[in-house]
Amino acid sequence: MASADTRHSFAVVTLEQLHRAHIAQLAELNPRQRGHYTRIFGDPLDWVRRRLGHRSNTTFRRHFPDIAQEIAALRSAPPTPGSPSEPTRYDRLVARNAKLKRHNRELTETLTLAACHIQRITLENQKLREELEAATGVTRLTPTPSRRPATS
């Protein structure tokens, strides 16, 4: 098999596999999500084009016009899942993520509030100790480090 044949066989098989996976994923998404997905993961045809070292998709379209037309048709109107009221997997993940973010924000606020209370109580405790010492005439003794004789 010639080198060009091997390259084109690789291109067709890889593109078909990538394209089927790409379209299957897009089928679960609404138009806004499809646009976002495509911006992140790119176009399978472009991925194969870069692996073959082509500068544009024109060469591929010239060699495989039927595949290029099929891709264009699927790109313009990818299939949509079930009924419009049924949430997609993506929608469920977005909702779950939003719920987790809300819960995390609430926990962070609670933790911040608890830290503020601890600081306030610590300052009040220090002030009360100082007032008690002043009222009773007791002087606080601070411990000095013990000096032990060095043993050899």
Side-chain angles (χ1 to χ4, degrees), residues 52-145:
L52 291 173
H54 295 165
R55 291 186 185 169
S56 72
N57 291 331
T58 306
T59 305
F60 181 85
R61 288 188 179 102
R62 189 175 340 133
H63 290 299
F64 307 102
D66 52 337
I67 295 174
Q69 287 173 353
E70 180 185 346
I71 291 171
L74 288 170
R75 243 192 233 147
S76 62
T80 56
S83 66
S85 63
E86 178 185 327
T88 64
R89 186 173 140 235
Y90 178 84
D91 292 333
R92 288 189 303 269
L93 287 173
V94 167
R96 183 171 181 235
N97 190 33
K99 182 178 178 181
L100 288 172
K101 282 182 179 181
R102 232 180 358 264
H103 185 65
N104 189 21
R105 191 172 36 254
E106 290 168 2
L107 289 174
T108 301
E109 290 170 1
T110 303
L111 182 61
T112 302
L113 184 61
C116 289
H117 282 298
I118 290 170
Q119 289 173 345
R120 183 184 53 80
I121 290 170
T122 302
L123 292 173
E124 286 177 5
N125 184 28
Q126 178 64 29
K127 184 179 176 187
L128 288 172
R129 282 180 181 264
E130 290 171 357
E131 289 175 3
L132 179 64
E133 288 172 5
T136 59
V138 176
T139 304
R140 178 181 280 198
L141 299 175
T142 56
T144 59

Side-chain angles (χ1 to χ4, degrees), residues 7 47-56:
R7 286 169 47 88
W47 188 90
V48 172
R49 174 195 57 81
R50 284 183 274 128
R51 297 307 174 277
L52 291 173
H54 295 165
R55 291 186 185 169
S56 72

